[in-house]
Amino acid sequence: MPDIFSSLQVALDISKKLRALSEKVKDAEIKMLLADLQSELADMKLEAAGLKERLATLTEKNAELVSQLESRSSDAPEMMPGGYKFAGVGPYCASCFETSGKKVQLPRSVGIHAHFGAWTCPVCKNHS
């Protein structure tokens, strides 16, 4: 697949050559059309650059999400009272893990919160 930037550059170069040739021809309509063509090609080149940048960003984000998914599936949680445990360590907040894939270790509930559950998530404030 040819590179879109090189194709656009070739088209811009051709339009410049045509513009130079049109100087010999005194037809105003040809000059106006060539100017419009150059303007459109320049706009396309800018748009292509923006799309290339967006594609790079999305490709990077996709790789990050694939990595998260792979690590999440390889580190399967084990149920325990109050949440999940991973590799025998826990509890971790089940709500945070299920909704955002975050492993938030749960501290013991203290004071008035202890009567809602043994553990309180510092992120989502769930009690378990």
Side-chain angles (χ1 to χ4, degrees), residues 75-117:
D75 195 13
E78 210 179 304
M79 288 299 293
M80 69 171 287
Y84 287 143
K85 64 180 173 179
F86 297 90
V89 179
Y92 288 88
C93 180
S95 178
C96 287
F97 184 74
E98 292 298 328
T99 58
S100 62
K102 294 180 183 176
K103 293 181 186 175
V104 180
Q105 197 160 17
L106 298 174
R108 285 229 174 254
S109 295
V110 292
I112 193 167
H113 299 289
H115 107 100
F116 291 113

Side-chain angles (χ1 to χ4, degrees), residues 10-114:
V10 168
L12 278 169
D13 292 342
I14 290 170
S15 69
K16 286 177 186 175
K17 289 177 185 175
L18 286 171
R19 187 175 191 87
L21 286 173
S22 76
E23 293 300 323
K24 295 177 183 173
V25 178
K26 300 297 182 195
D27 189 354
E29 189 175 346
I30 290 175
K31 290 179 184 180
M32 189 174 68
L33 288 173
L34 284 171
D36 290 345
L37 175 63
Q38 279 186 311
S39 176
E40 289 296 320
L41 288 171
D43 290 346
M44 287 175 56
K45 192 171 182 180
L46 287 174
E47 180 72 20
L51 290 173
K52 188 173 185 178
E53 185 178 315
R54 177 125 169 90
L55 178 62
T57 301
L58 291 174
T59 301
E60 183 180 315
K61 181 69 174 173
N62 186 44
E64 182 182 310
L65 290 172
V66 166
S67 174
Q68 284 178 0
L69 184 60
E70 287 172 352
S71 71
R72 184 175 178 185
S73 63
S74 67
D75 195 13
E78 210 179 304
M79 288 299 293
M80 69 171 287
Y84 287 143
K85 64 180 173 179
F86 297 90
V89 179
Y92 288 88
C93 180
S95 178
C96 287
F97 184 74
E98 292 298 328
T99 58
S100 62
K102 294 180 183 176
K103 293 181 186 175
V104 180
Q105 197 160 17
L106 298 174
R108 285 229 174 254
S109 295
V110 292
I112 193 167
H113 299 289

